[in-house]
Structures are given as structure tokens and as C-alpha cells.
């Protein structure tokens, strides 16, 4: 999962970026509202973590601008303000959830995951593509009802593909979402993982296709 964090407190932001990484969330940090708007509209993120007290334009204006531009990116507001009228106003503008400061990073990660599942229509944490099934709560794959044994790298890549089934992902997008300290993780490593996954899926109705110019996509033979 890759998120943008819009937060003007440098110390808090640096801590949060590191803490989210331990939860498997890769967060880019931006401290100014106008730059956050630009990055949301021109980069590829799964969610926006938005502080309200930004130095140039505040968080509510950031939210207004990205929604006015047509962005449907999930947004979680990070705030120390406990103001019901403000929360209602932000929900009407397009906020998806709120986290009151201070908060536990594990809860923030859980809220992010739940929000993305709801957006994708997978509220129970179960993702399917043909006979391939991923159970998010148990962190396990099944193929035609049988356990599918994968290496940690293969598991991370296939999880990403099934969560975005039907949506092509480039090597750069894949690398930006595979969080870890693996120094050997590079475009060539992605090719090797795709090759190995294709072999493990070859007898099934689910496959990883290459779409020229776009990247890899997980598809079922029956559509």
C-alpha cells in the first residue's frame, strides 16, 4: 500500500513514515497543501493521510481541490480537533474517515486497509480472481480450494495483483508498493517473480498477463 502523508509537523511526519513502514505501508511525505494537491493529481497513491493545519492552504481546502478535480482517492483526516460540525462539513466535502491525534499506528493501518477494502467491494477481506482466492485476515492464498505455497516475495506480489485484479500495474508501481529492505528488489526481480507465479498458476483459470506499455494484470479466463 502506498500513501501520501500531508503533515506540516516534520518530527511527527518522520516518525509516522517510519512507523507505517513497519505495518507494510509505504508513505511519502509532503508538508505543504498545494504540493499535496499536485502529487495526488499526478502521482499514483492508494490513499491520502491529511492533516488539517497545513501552512499554505489548510487540509479542508486540499480536500475540496482534489475532489473538484475529480479525484476519488480515499482520504483519512488526521486531526487534534474534536469539532463535530467540522467533521460533518469535511464528510460532505469528501473525507472518508478521521483519526484523532494522538493515535495508534496499528489502528491507522487497520482503518486504511478497511477503507480500501470497502472501496474495492471486499469488506470481508476476501479477494477472488477465477479459482484464486486471497484471505486477507489469514494472509493466505488458495487455488481451487487448496493452499497455494509461495515465497514471501511471491506472496507480496500476488497479493498486490489480486487486490488490483483487472487493473494493470507497471514495474515501477509494483516496486513502489512492495515495502521492505530487500536491496535486490528491482525490475529484473519483478520479472523473475512474475515468471515463478505464472508457473504456479499455469494449470488454473487465473493468469498474469502482460499488457504492452502498461504492465502486468491478474485475470481470470472466464472474465
Amino acid at each position: 500500500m502506498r500513501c501520501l502523508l500531508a503533515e506540516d509537523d516534520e518530527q511527527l511526519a518522520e516518525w509516522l513514515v517510519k512507523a507505517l513502514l513497519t505495518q507494510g505501508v509505504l508513505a511519502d511525505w509532503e508538508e505543504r497543501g498545494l504540493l499535496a494537491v499536485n502529487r495526488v493529481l499526478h502521482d499514483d497513491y492508494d490513499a491520502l493521510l491529511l492533516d488539517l493545519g497545513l501552512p499554505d492552504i489548510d487540509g479542508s481546502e486540499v480536500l475540496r481541490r482534489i475532489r473538484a478535480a475529480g479525484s476519488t482517492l480515499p482520504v483519512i483526516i488526521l486531526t487534534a480537533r474534536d469539532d463535530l460540525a467540522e467533521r460533518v462539513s469535511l464528510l460532505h466535502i469528501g473525507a472518508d474517515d478521521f483519526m484523532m491525534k494522538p493515535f495508534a499506528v496499528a489502528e491507522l493501518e487497520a482503518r486504511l486497509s478497511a477503507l480500501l477494502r470497502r472501496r474495492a467491494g471486499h469488506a470481508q477481506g476476501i479477494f477472488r480472481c477465477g479459482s484464486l482466492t486471497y484471505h486477507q485476515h489469514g494472509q493466505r492464498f488458495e487455488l481451487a480450494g487448496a493452499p497455494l505455497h509461495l515465497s514471501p516475495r511471491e506472496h507480496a506480489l500476488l497479493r498486490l495483483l489480486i487486490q488490483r485484479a483487472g487493473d494493470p500495474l507497471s514495474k515501477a508501481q509494483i516496486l513502489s508498493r512492495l515495502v521492505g529492505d530487500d536491496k535486490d528488489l528491482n525490475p529484473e526481480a519483478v520479472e523473475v517473480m512474475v515468471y515463478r507465479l505464472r508457473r504456479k498458476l499455469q494449470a488454473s483459470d487465473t493468469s498474469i498477463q502482460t499488457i504492452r506499455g502498461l504492465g502486468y494484470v491478474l485475470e481470470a479466463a472466464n472474465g
Side-chain angles (χ1 to χ4, degrees):
M1 187 189 307
R2 184 181 179 217
C3 299
L4 178 64
L5 169 63
E7 167 63 61
D8 69 324
D9 185 326
E10 181 177 357
Q11 186 175 4
L12 173 61
E14 290 180 350
W15 169 80
L16 188 53
V17 167
K18 292 177 182 177
L20 284 169
L21 190 60
T22 68
Q23 300 292 317
V25 179
L26 183 63
D28 294 338
W29 170 45
E30 183 54 68
E31 62 181 335
R32 303 187 71 83
L34 289 172
L35 293 176
V37 171
N38 184 67
R39 292 182 72 166
V40 165
L41 298 180
H42 295 95
D43 210 330
D44 183 35
Y45 292 104
D46 297 306
L48 170 63
L49 305 176
L50 179 60
D51 178 53
L52 294 177
L54 300 175
D56 49 357
I57 60 172
D58 65 17
S60 61
E61 182 61 22
V62 170
L63 185 58
R64 285 190 187 92
R65 294 191 183 197
I66 66 171
R67 293 298 187 237
S71 172
T72 60
L73 186 74
V75 176
I76 296 181
I77 302 293
L78 309 179
T79 180
R81 309 172 193 170
D82 189 12
D83 185 323
L84 177 59
E86 182 178 50
R87 293 202 303 272
V88 170
S89 174
L90 289 164
L91 286 169
H92 283 302
I93 295 170
D96 295 282
D97 201 353
F98 298 85
M99 287 290 291
M100 295 296 298
K101 297 178 181 178
F103 51 78
V105 173
E107 182 182 359
L108 176 58
E109 187 278 331
R111 284 178 180 253
L112 274 169
S113 295
L115 177 57
L116 294 180
R117 288 198 304 271
R118 290 197 300 272
R119 282 294 182 98
H122 299 288
Q124 300 303 313
I126 299 175
F127 298 79
R128 292 187 176 89
C129 184
S131 58
L132 179 68
T133 304
Y134 175 59
H135 300 267
Q136 181 161 304
H137 299 304
Q139 299 286 302
R140 72 183 191 278
F141 280 96
E142 293 177 353
L143 187 61
L148 181 62
H149 301 290
L150 304 167
S151 71
R153 278 184 170 185
E154 293 166 353
H155 186 282
L157 175 55
L158 192 56
R159 180 181 66 221
L160 176 60
L161 289 172
I162 199 169
Q163 288 175 338
R164 300 277 293 265
D167 184 10
L169 290 170
S170 68
K171 291 179 187 176
Q173 289 174 314
I174 290 170
L175 288 171
S176 74
R177 286 167 169 76
L178 295 184
V179 179
D181 298 321
D182 193 339
K183 295 180 181 178
D184 294 328
L185 203 55
N186 53 44
E188 291 71 28
V190 171
E191 293 177 4
V192 172
M193 286 188 285
V194 168
Y195 171 76
R196 291 175 177 169
L197 286 171
R198 281 173 168 161
R199 293 191 64 181
K200 293 182 178 182
L201 296 172
Q202 64 183 359
S204 74
D205 61 351
T206 306
S207 62
I208 301 172
Q209 300 294 327
T210 300
I211 300 180
R212 188 172 182 178
L214 293 177
Y216 301 111
V217 61
L218 188 70
E219 293 182 339
N222 58 10

XYZ file of all heavy atoms in Angstrom, residues 22-85:
491
model
N 6.646 -0.169 9.214
C 6.626 -1.419 9.977
C 5.295 -2.145 9.819
O 5.203 -3.338 10.097
C 6.881 -1.169 11.471
O 5.768 -0.458 12.043
C 8.160 -0.377 11.684
N 4.260 -1.432 9.381
C 2.945 -2.026 9.156
C 2.720 -2.385 7.685
O 1.616 -2.739 7.288
C 1.850 -1.058 9.610
C 1.910 -0.676 11.070
C 1.600 -1.835 11.990
O 0.669 -2.602 11.742
N 2.369 -1.978 13.059
N 3.773 -2.247 6.879
C 3.659 -2.584 5.466
C 3.080 -1.492 4.610
O 2.625 -1.743 3.496
N 3.096 -0.250 5.110
C 2.552 0.890 4.367
C 3.703 1.825 3.997
O 4.429 2.314 4.866
C 1.508 1.665 5.194
C 0.976 2.856 4.402
C 0.368 0.749 5.608
N 3.862 2.081 2.711
C 4.886 2.999 2.233
C 4.265 4.382 2.103
O 3.315 4.574 1.348
C 5.421 2.532 0.884
C 6.563 3.354 0.277
C 7.793 3.284 1.169
C 6.901 2.850 -1.113
N 4.779 5.343 2.870
C 4.203 6.691 2.887
C 5.206 7.715 2.385
O 6.338 7.770 2.859
C 3.741 7.054 4.293
N 4.789 8.528 1.427
C 5.550 9.701 1.002
C 5.047 10.891 1.818
O 3.854 10.988 2.123
C 5.343 9.981 -0.490
C 5.922 8.889 -1.367
O 6.817 8.168 -0.904
O 5.453 8.751 -2.516
N 5.953 11.812 2.130
C 5.570 12.937 2.982
C 5.610 14.250 2.204
O 6.544 14.522 1.448
C 6.518 13.025 4.178
C 6.355 14.280 4.997
C 5.187 14.842 5.414
C 7.399 15.130 5.472
N 5.439 15.988 6.139
C 6.788 16.193 6.186
C 8.793 15.095 5.379
C 7.526 17.208 6.799
C 9.521 16.102 5.990
C 8.888 17.144 6.683
N 4.575 15.054 2.405
C 4.528 16.408 1.839
C 4.010 17.346 2.920
O 3.011 17.045 3.587
C 3.594 16.441 0.625
C 3.536 17.775 -0.072
C 4.919 18.259 -0.447
O 5.545 17.642 -1.319
O 5.379 19.259 0.167
N 4.690 18.489 3.108
C 4.305 19.383 4.206
C 3.438 20.565 3.770
O 2.881 21.262 4.620
C 5.548 19.916 4.917
C 6.471 20.746 4.053
C 7.696 21.230 4.826
O 7.593 21.334 6.064
O 8.736 21.497 4.192
N 3.296 20.789 2.481
C 2.508 21.933 2.010
C 1.286 21.463 1.233
O 1.346 20.519 0.434
C 3.365 22.867 1.162
C 4.606 23.385 1.889
C 5.336 24.435 1.079
N 4.586 25.685 1.032
C 4.620 26.607 1.999
N 5.343 26.419 3.090
N 3.932 27.723 1.885
N 0.169 22.157 1.451
C -1.089 21.737 0.862
C -1.121 21.773 -0.649
O -1.627 20.850 -1.291
N -0.596 22.844 -1.246
C -0.637 22.964 -2.702
C 0.170 21.856 -3.371
O -0.239 21.299 -4.391
C -0.118 24.337 -3.133
C -1.041 25.521 -2.824
C -0.329 26.839 -3.112
C -2.330 25.423 -3.634
N 1.311 21.525 -2.777
C 2.128 20.454 -3.335
C 1.450 19.101 -3.138
O 1.571 18.215 -3.980
C 3.518 20.463 -2.696
C 4.378 21.683 -3.029
C 5.706 21.640 -2.276
C 4.648 21.768 -4.531
N 0.726 18.947 -2.034
C -0.018 17.707 -1.809
C -1.104 17.525 -2.872
O -1.292 16.428 -3.392
C -0.632 17.707 -0.416
N -1.806 18.603 -3.189
C -2.823 18.538 -4.247
C -2.189 18.089 -5.560
O -2.708 17.195 -6.256
C -3.514 19.905 -4.434
C -4.409 19.889 -5.674
C -4.329 20.276 -3.203
N -1.064 18.679 -5.900
C -0.387 18.341 -7.155
C 0.041 16.874 -7.180
O -0.129 16.190 -8.202
C 0.836 19.244 -7.336
C 1.515 19.013 -8.674
O 0.968 19.298 -9.729
N 2.738 18.494 -8.625
N 0.552 16.381 -6.063
C 1.017 14.996 -6.037
C -0.152 14.016 -6.117
O -0.054 12.972 -6.772
C 1.859 14.751 -4.782
C 3.170 15.516 -4.806
C 4.030 15.258 -3.595
N 4.605 13.929 -3.613
C 5.605 13.548 -2.817
N 6.127 14.418 -1.960
N 6.084 12.332 -2.864
N -1.247 14.333 -5.462
C -2.427 13.469 -5.544
C -2.924 13.359 -6.981
O -3.276 12.273 -7.448
C -3.555 14.002 -4.633
C -4.889 13.342 -4.988
C -3.224 13.754 -3.172
N -2.926 14.490 -7.685
C -3.494 14.512 -9.026
C -2.545 13.981 -10.096
O -2.991 13.634 -11.191
C -3.923 15.938 -9.388
C -5.012 16.546 -8.498
C -5.358 17.957 -8.965
C -6.263 15.669 -8.469
N -1.261 13.898 -9.790
C -0.302 13.498 -10.817
C 0.515 12.259 -10.464
O 1.303 11.788 -11.278
C 0.649 14.656 -11.137
C -0.045 15.840 -11.755
N -0.488 16.909 -11.010
C -0.410 16.085 -13.038
C -1.073 17.783 -11.812
N -1.051 17.300 -13.039
N 0.355 11.739 -9.252
C 1.085 10.531 -8.867
C 0.073 9.428 -8.570
O -1.136 9.641 -8.681
C 1.976 10.802 -7.646
C 3.226 9.933 -7.641
O 3.168 8.812 -8.178
O 4.248 10.366 -7.077
N 0.577 8.270 -8.204
C -0.265 7.089 -8.046
C -0.250 6.635 -6.593
O 0.694 5.999 -6.148
C 0.249 5.979 -8.964
C -0.621 4.744 -8.914
O -1.845 4.888 -8.776
O -0.073 3.627 -8.990
N -1.296 6.980 -5.843
C -1.392 6.617 -4.428
C -2.657 5.806 -4.172
O -3.638 5.897 -4.922
C -1.407 7.874 -3.549
C -0.095 8.621 -3.541
C 0.069 9.804 -4.262
C 0.993 8.130 -2.822
C 1.274 10.476 -4.270
C 2.205 8.802 -2.823
C 2.340 9.969 -3.539
O 3.544 10.627 -3.545
N -2.627 5.056 -3.065
C -3.799 4.296 -2.654
C -4.668 5.076 -1.676
O -5.856 4.773 -1.528
C -3.366 2.974 -2.005
C -2.630 2.073 -2.980
O -3.186 1.808 -4.063
O -1.503 1.646 -2.675
N -4.081 6.059 -0.990
C -4.845 6.850 -0.022
C -4.057 8.102 0.335
O -2.844 8.193 0.103
C -5.144 6.036 1.234
N -4.772 9.071 0.911
C -4.175 10.313 1.399
C -4.449 10.428 2.891
O -5.599 10.330 3.330
C -4.772 11.520 0.667
C -4.417 12.917 1.220
C -2.919 13.181 1.107
C -5.213 13.996 0.483
N -3.376 10.642 3.673
C -3.490 10.930 5.100
C -3.294 12.429 5.242
O -2.205 12.953 4.982
C -2.425 10.157 5.885
C -2.406 8.637 5.659
C -1.255 7.996 6.414
C -3.731 8.015 6.063
N -4.332 13.125 5.649
C -4.375 14.575 5.509
C -4.541 15.289 6.852
O -5.582 15.169 7.511
C -5.528 14.956 4.567
C -5.774 16.424 4.287
C -4.550 17.080 3.644
C -7.005 16.587 3.393
N -3.503 16.049 7.228
C -3.588 16.917 8.398
C -4.322 18.198 7.999
O -4.203 18.666 6.862
C -2.180 17.242 8.894
C -2.186 18.177 10.090
O -2.876 17.866 11.075
O -1.524 19.229 10.027
N -5.059 18.784 8.930
C -5.818 19.990 8.603
C -4.983 21.256 8.689
O -5.227 22.222 7.966
C -7.038 20.110 9.525
C -8.109 19.026 9.359
C -9.223 19.228 10.380
C -8.672 19.038 7.948
N -3.981 21.292 9.561
C -3.240 22.532 9.793
C -2.007 22.693 8.932
O -0.891 22.769 9.459
N -2.174 22.761 7.635
C -1.042 22.934 6.725
C -0.743 24.423 6.557
O -1.622 25.273 6.710
C -1.349 22.277 5.380
C -1.637 20.767 5.454
C -2.038 20.232 4.086
C -0.440 20.005 5.993
N 0.510 24.789 6.219
C 0.928 26.197 6.278
C 0.430 27.097 5.155
O 0.350 28.309 5.343
C 2.456 26.108 6.265
C 2.758 24.820 5.560
C 1.658 23.886 5.962
N 0.132 26.559 3.977
C -0.280 27.439 2.874
C -1.801 27.409 2.677
O -2.486 28.402 2.860
C 0.468 27.098 1.575
C 0.449 25.613 1.245
O -0.084 24.817 2.039
O 0.950 25.243 0.163
N -2.323 26.249 2.310
C -3.782 26.076 2.313
C -4.075 24.945 3.294
O -3.287 24.004 3.413
C -4.337 25.756 0.904
C -3.736 24.466 0.344
C -4.114 26.921 -0.038
C -4.373 23.998 -0.956
N -5.171 25.043 4.023
C -5.420 24.030 5.042
C -5.952 22.744 4.425
O -6.244 22.664 3.222
C -6.350 24.556 6.134
C -7.761 24.863 5.631
O -8.133 24.388 4.536
O -8.491 25.576 6.349
N -6.059 21.719 5.275
C -6.456 20.406 4.785
C -7.821 20.378 4.135
O -8.038 19.648 3.161
N -8.761 21.176 4.659
C -10.093 21.184 4.053
C -10.056 21.711 2.626
O -10.767 21.222 1.750
C -11.058 22.019 4.902
O -10.626 23.359 4.990
N -9.183 22.693 2.371
C -9.055 23.225 1.017
C -8.357 22.218 0.094
O -8.709 22.107 -1.088
C -8.290 24.543 1.029
C -8.138 25.206 -0.335
C -9.465 25.573 -0.987
O -10.485 25.708 -0.268
O -9.494 25.724 -2.223
N -7.383 21.479 0.635
C -6.763 20.400 -0.135
C -7.836 19.408 -0.570
O -7.907 19.006 -1.734
C -5.678 19.673 0.697
C -5.204 18.400 -0.023
C -4.499 20.596 0.958
N -8.691 19.018 0.372
C -9.756 18.069 0.081
C -10.709 18.614 -0.981
O -11.089 17.910 -1.918
C -10.510 17.738 1.371
C -11.604 16.669 1.291
C -11.046 15.344 0.798
C -12.266 16.507 2.655
N -11.100 19.877 -0.835
C -12.004 20.495 -1.823
C -11.396 20.448 -3.222
O -12.072 20.120 -4.206
C -12.293 21.942 -1.447
C -13.243 22.138 -0.286
C -13.641 23.597 -0.153
N -14.420 23.831 1.063
C -13.902 24.186 2.231
N -12.591 24.372 2.327
N -14.675 24.367 3.279
N -10.117 20.794 -3.319
C -9.471 20.886 -4.636
C -9.321 19.523 -5.310
O -9.532 19.409 -6.520
C -8.125 21.585 -4.506
C -8.252 23.042 -4.094
C -6.948 23.796 -4.217
N -7.088 25.167 -3.744
C -6.225 26.143 -4.021
N -5.155 25.912 -4.769
N -6.422 27.363 -3.542
N -8.954 18.489 -4.542
C -8.782 17.191 -5.201
C -10.130 16.594 -5.588
O -10.246 15.938 -6.620
C -7.951 16.207 -4.341
C -8.682 15.817 -3.055
C -6.579 16.786 -4.027
C -7.990 14.690 -2.295
N -11.164 16.844 -4.788
C -12.489 16.352 -5.166
C -13.041 17.135 -6.360
O -13.661 16.551 -7.263
C -13.463 16.445 -3.981
C -13.126 15.507 -2.814
C -13.177 14.065 -3.239
N -13.018 13.152 -2.108
C -12.091 12.223 -2.011
N -11.197 12.064 -3.005
N -12.017 11.429 -0.965
N -12.799 18.440 -6.387
C -13.248 19.249 -7.523
C -12.561 18.820 -8.813
O -13.132 18.947 -9.902
C -12.979 20.726 -7.251
N -11.323 18.304 -8.686
C -10.583 17.839 -9.861
C -10.990 16.432 -10.282
O -10.461 15.901 -11.257
C -9.084 17.892 -9.579
N -11.906 15.818 -9.526
C -12.395 14.500 -9.902
C -11.721 13.332 -9.216
O -12.039 12.176 -9.506
N -10.796 13.604 -8.292
C -10.103 12.512 -7.610
C -11.032 11.822 -6.613
O -11.715 12.474 -5.817
C -8.873 13.041 -6.861
O -8.305 12.009 -6.061
N -11.049 10.492 -6.648
C -11.825 9.701 -5.692
C -10.908 9.004 -4.686
O -11.313 8.062 -4.002
C -12.679 8.655 -6.416
O -11.816 7.772 -7.166
C -13.679 9.310 -7.352
N -9.668 9.446 -4.589
C -8.691 8.837 -3.689
C -9.230 8.822 -2.260
O -9.695 9.848 -1.761
C -7.383 9.637 -3.742
C -6.206 9.049 -2.955
C -5.646 7.831 -3.689
C -5.103 10.099 -2.778
N -9.183 7.680 -1.574
C -9.615 7.643 -0.178
C -8.795 8.605 0.681
O -7.565 8.675 0.547
C -9.357 6.186 0.230
C -9.422 5.410 -1.041
C -8.827 6.330 -2.082
N -9.471 9.342 1.554
C -8.812 10.358 2.390
C -9.172 10.126 3.851
O -10.356 10.073 4.210
C -9.236 11.780 1.979
C -8.617 12.815 2.925
C -8.827 12.074 0.536
N -8.139 9.996 4.686
C -8.319 9.948 6.133
C -7.777 11.243 6.718
O -6.623 11.603 6.488
C -7.606 8.736 6.759
C -8.222 7.428 6.258
C -7.692 8.808 8.289
C -7.589 6.181 6.854
N -8.614 11.943 7.456
C -8.218 13.199 8.089
C -7.523 12.899 9.412
O -8.049 12.156 10.246
C -9.447 14.100 8.348
C -10.196 14.392 7.035
C -9.028 15.391 9.045
C -9.435 15.231 6.050
N -6.339 13.476 9.607
C -5.606 13.373 10.865
C -5.745 14.708 11.590
O -5.307 15.735 11.077
C -4.122 13.073 10.610
C -3.822 11.878 9.678
C -2.318 11.733 9.507
C -4.432 10.595 10.214
N -6.361 14.700 12.759
C -6.648 15.976 13.410
C -6.639 15.862 14.923
O -6.932 14.796 15.481
C -8.018 16.511 12.952
O -8.284 17.761 13.593
C -9.135 15.535 13.291
N -6.289 16.964 15.574
C -6.388 17.056 17.032
C -7.671 17.770 17.433
O -7.965 17.916 18.619
C -5.172 17.807 17.590
N -8.433 18.232 16.441
C -9.657 18.976 16.717
C -10.844 18.033 16.875
O -11.102 17.202 16.004
C -9.948 19.954 15.574
C -8.779 20.853 15.190
C -9.131 21.632 13.927
N -7.963 22.280 13.338
C -7.969 22.858 12.136
N -9.079 22.876 11.408
N -6.869 23.419 11.671
N -11.568 18.189 17.968
C -12.751 17.365 18.203
C -13.985 18.242 18.005
O -14.671 18.615 18.955
C -12.718 16.783 19.614
C -13.817 15.745 19.831
O -14.430 15.323 18.830
O -14.057 15.386 20.994
N -14.252 18.581 16.752
C -15.320 19.512 16.409
C -16.308 18.790 15.496
O -16.008 18.494 14.333
C -14.720 20.729 15.705
C -15.759 21.807 15.426
O -16.910 21.460 15.104
O -15.414 22.994 15.515
N -17.490 18.483 16.031
C -18.471 17.713 15.268
C -18.884 18.428 13.990
O -18.966 17.820 12.917
C -19.710 17.440 16.135
C -20.859 16.701 15.436
C -20.413 15.348 14.917
C -22.048 16.560 16.381
N -19.140 19.733 14.082
C -19.576 20.482 12.896
C -18.516 20.428 11.810
O -18.836 20.297 10.619
C -19.885 21.922 13.276
